[in-house]
């Protein structure tokens, strides 16, 4: 799996970066059925045991290996206005992400 960052996304993420944080792609199903969810991105300090690294050109980024099925193999993170957008050549996965810090 590979995640590419646009220049705008890279710059905005560098402003948000704090020492020791890692980006984590997450399929948020809170309050929903386990197969219905929203692909999102979070800054985290600790990772679950089943996290695996994603190939990127900038930030160390991880994904829950059990949730990979909800993402495409090649992804891109961009910025539209003040929000991030996660997409692939196949589809837009989430057009309005606010990257939060959660653990």
């Amino acid at each position: 799996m590979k995640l590419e960052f646009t220049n705008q996304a890279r710059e905005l993420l560098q402003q948000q970066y704090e020492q020791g944080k890692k980006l984590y792609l997450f399929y948020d199903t809170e309050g929903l059925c386990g197969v219905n969810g929203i692909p999102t991105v979070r800054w985290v300090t600790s990772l679950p045991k089943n996290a695996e690294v994603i190939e990127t050109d900038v930030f160390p980024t991880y994904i829950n290996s059990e949730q990979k099925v909800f993402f495409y193999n090649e992804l891109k993170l961009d910025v539209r206005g003040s929000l991030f957008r996660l997409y692939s050549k196949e589809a837009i996965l989430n057009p309005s992400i606010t990257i939060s810090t959660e653990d």
Side-chain angles (χ1 to χ4, degrees):
M1 180 171 267
K2 182 178 180 179
L3 175 63
E4 182 182 339
F5 301 90
T6 64
N7 289 335
Q8 281 184 300
R10 185 177 299 120
E11 289 172 14
L12 191 51
L13 286 168
Q14 286 173 333
Q15 292 172 14
Q16 295 178 354
Y17 177 74
E18 295 176 21
Q19 188 69 29
K21 298 280 184 179
K22 301 165 191 71
L23 280 178
Y24 183 56
L25 264 64
F26 184 75
Y27 192 70
D28 190 357
T29 59
E30 188 170 325
L32 303 168
C33 167
V35 295
N36 293 324
I38 301 168
T40 191
V41 182
R42 296 178 179 164
W43 286 111
V44 298
T45 53
S46 61
L47 295 163
K49 292 179 184 178
N50 59 355
E52 62 182 63
V53 71
I54 297 172
E55 180 184 343
T56 68
D57 57 344
V58 183
F59 297 98
T61 307
Y62 298 82
I63 191 167
N64 181 321
S65 61
E66 295 172 9
Q67 294 182 338
K68 280 174 44 173
V69 66
F70 300 112
F71 295 87
Y72 291 97
N73 259 349
E74 294 185 14
L75 300 167
K76 190 173 238 182
L77 192 65
D78 193 9
V79 176
R80 297 286 186 218
S82 61
L83 299 172
F84 289 90
R85 170 191 252 185
L86 183 64
Y87 65 97
S88 71
K89 57 185 169 187
E90 293 86 6
I92 295 174
L93 294 151
N94 189 339
S96 55
I97 300 173
T98 300
I99 297 183
S100 63
T101 300
E102 293 187 31
D103 281 327

